[in-house]
Structures are given as structure tokens and as C-alpha cells.
Amino acid sequence: MPKSTQTDSAEYLAKKAFFDKVITIYGRNAVLEVLEDETITIHKLHLADSNKSVAQLDRMVTIANSRNIEIAYHDKKALSRISKNAKQDQGVALDIVLEHAMSEDEFLEAHSKYKVIALDGIHNPQNLGMIIRSCAAGDVDAIILPTKNSAQISPLVIKASVGTLFRLPIIKTNSLVKTVKKFKAEGSRLYTLSSHAKQSYRDEKYGEKNLFILGNESEGVSSEVERLSNASIAIPMKRGVESLNVAVTASLLAFL
């Protein structure tokens, strides 16, 4: 391969790896709040060129300039393509860098033993934020987050996670089934939670590579993912309680 082609390929891969870590939030309150947190790495501030000058927007520009953050101005249609929410972006979007985000291959290469929680169809952003917070506080090495049929990182998620989103490795996947299969092929034992399981989560003998799959708030784990599971475990309930909120379940697993 010619040297120039190799260089172009390396640059492309480096850029892709970087932008895989970037998420975009929108809305004036959320963007200003994140800009004011100097622990969060920011790539770019996007503003609609039709915005009228107000104190909140002026403050954003001042902070961006003081932090050497690039500011890009767009027409409203272009900004809506960036925010993906024309009705609620309020003429503002912000690219945030998730420093600890990584691909499944990067994670598996770096970890010989681990506890990972995979999310299958979690739709409530507050649940997602609370799950991230519990996992960051507990003994969890990463969260697997599908890019489809799932809540995505948003201002609500950031708020519910109380900033812990930026401290925990997030593995984004376009196909949870394929990712789960890859973990299983690499020796991970897959667990799903079920109120009908006979084995308590406290009594299970865990190995060095464990993947816990948490399902949708109302329907649980999808059948396609369920079929890949090695074992189903239960959280024992008293007084006729049938189930726990998925974020509470994640919390129990995080401190297992």
C-alpha cells in the first residue's frame, strides 16, 4: 500500500474513533449547564445564526471562548440536522466527548475479567441515567448501550446520572444480539433476570467474565437475546412484590 494511502487510512480510523466518542445534546439550559462543567470535554458548540442576542446565549459564547471551544454557526435547518430535534433544540447544540466510550473489541482486548451490564430496550431516560449512576458507583466495568430501540444519552440522562456518565465506559452497539454473541464467544457467561428463575442472584457462582442483561421496563429481555443466555437468575421478593424498577435491579447487581 502506498505511504499516502496508509496515512489517509490511519487518519480516517483516528477520526472515526474520535467521533464514535462524541454525543450531541441540545437545549439552552442543558447546553449551558454542561459548558459550565469544566470536567466535561467538549468538541464544538453549534448555534443557529438566527438566534437573537440574549444573556444565556452570550454566556455560552463567553465560556466557549474562554475554554477554546470551537463555535459553529448554522442556519436553522442545518442546526436541526445536528441536534436531530428541531422542535426542542432552541437554536443550540453541543458536541460532548465521552472520554471512556469504547468499542466492544477495545473493551474485550483490554479486559481479561469483568462485570458488564447490557441494556435491552430501556426506553426511560431517567432509568438510563440512574442505571449509569449505580454502575459508575459500583463494581461494573462497562455498560452496553444499543443505538436503536433504546433511550439515548440526552440532557435528561445526563441529569439523572448526576455527571457519572462521564466516568464509566459506555460500549455503543448497532446490534445488541451481535455484541452479546461476541462476548459469549470470548468466554463471557450471560445472565438474564427473571422473577420465575429458581436460582437467587446471590447464590450463583460467578466466573471472571460476567454479562448481565437488563430488559425493557414492561416487556423484559427480548426473546432473541434471551435465547443466548447461559442462565436466568432471580432477585428474591417478599410480601408479594413481583418485580423491581430496572434501575434498582442494576443497583443490586452493581454492588454484588
Side-chain angles (χ1 to χ4, degrees):
M1 183 184 295
K3 188 174 180 180
S4 60
T5 305
Q6 288 179 331
T7 303
D8 291 344
S9 178
E11 287 178 356
Y12 168 77
L13 291 173
K15 284 182 179 179
K16 184 179 184 304
F18 173 77
F19 283 107
D20 283 346
K21 296 176 182 286
V22 173
I23 61 166
T24 301
I25 66 167
Y26 53 82
R28 296 185 182 187
N29 290 338
V31 166
L32 181 56
E33 189 174 321
V34 172
L35 278 169
E36 289 176 333
D37 188 339
E38 295 190 4
T39 66
I40 299 173
T41 302
I42 295 166
H43 173 56
K44 189 183 293 186
L45 171 64
H46 302 275
L47 298 172
D49 54 19
S50 58
N51 287 337
K52 294 181 180 178
S53 179
V54 294
Q56 196 175 35
L57 292 175
D58 293 343
R59 172 75 176 148
M60 290 179 200
V61 171
T62 299
I63 294 172
N65 287 330
S66 68
R67 294 184 60 184
N68 292 319
I69 296 165
E70 181 183 351
I71 303 173
Y73 292 90
H74 312 269
D75 61 47
K76 292 189 77 171
K77 188 176 288 187
L79 183 70
S80 69
R81 287 197 294 268
I82 293 167
S83 71
K84 296 182 174 60
N85 198 322
K87 292 182 179 179
Q88 296 180 346
D89 65 31
Q90 299 176 304
V92 176
L94 189 70
D95 294 333
I96 302 172
V97 182
L98 294 180
E99 301 269 17
H100 299 291
M102 60 179 64
S103 68
E104 58 204 46
D105 290 331
E106 288 172 326
F107 179 86
L108 289 168
E109 188 176 334
H111 294 77
S112 58
K113 55 183 180 179
Y114 50 78
K115 181 199 290 184
V116 171
I117 288 183
L119 306 180
D120 183 13
I122 303 301
H123 289 153
N124 186 310
Q126 288 185 315
N127 279 341
L128 176 56
M130 289 188 288
I131 289 168
I132 290 169
R133 186 180 186 187
S134 293
C135 290
D139 185 25
V140 173
D141 297 294
I143 285 176
I144 298 174
L145 179 65
T147 56
K148 299 174 183 176
N149 191 34
S150 173
Q152 296 303 303
I153 295 165
S154 67
L156 278 176
V157 172
I158 294 170
K159 188 171 184 178
S161 77
V162 196
T164 56
L165 164 68
F166 303 100
R167 304 174 199 171
L168 180 73
I170 304 287
I171 302 169
K172 283 196 162 190
T173 176
N174 293 324
S175 171
L176 182 60
V177 171
K178 287 182 180 178
T179 297
V180 166
K181 283 181 178 178
K182 181 171 284 189
F183 270 78
K184 191 172 184 178
E186 292 289 333
S188 180
R189 188 162 174 80
L190 276 50
Y191 294 94
T192 51
L193 280 290
S194 170
S195 58
H196 304 295
K198 295 181 180 179
Q199 180 81 339
S200 167
Y201 81 112
R202 294 195 195 98
D203 298 332
E204 179 72 17
K205 291 184 174 17
Y206 300 104
E208 293 188 332
K209 299 179 179 182
N210 301 297
L211 178 63
F212 297 92
I213 305 164
L214 301 182
N216 175 268
E217 289 90 344
S218 57
E219 298 175 6
V221 175
S222 60
S223 57
E224 198 173 6
V225 173
E226 179 79 45
R227 285 194 291 270
L228 297 170
S229 174
N230 294 111
S232 186
I233 52 177
I235 296 173
M237 305 282 180
K238 293 183 178 180
R239 301 178 183 88
V241 176
E242 292 183 359
S243 64
L244 295 173
N245 174 278
V246 66
V248 175
T249 300
S251 209
L252 291 172
L253 295 174
F255 290 92
L256 181 62

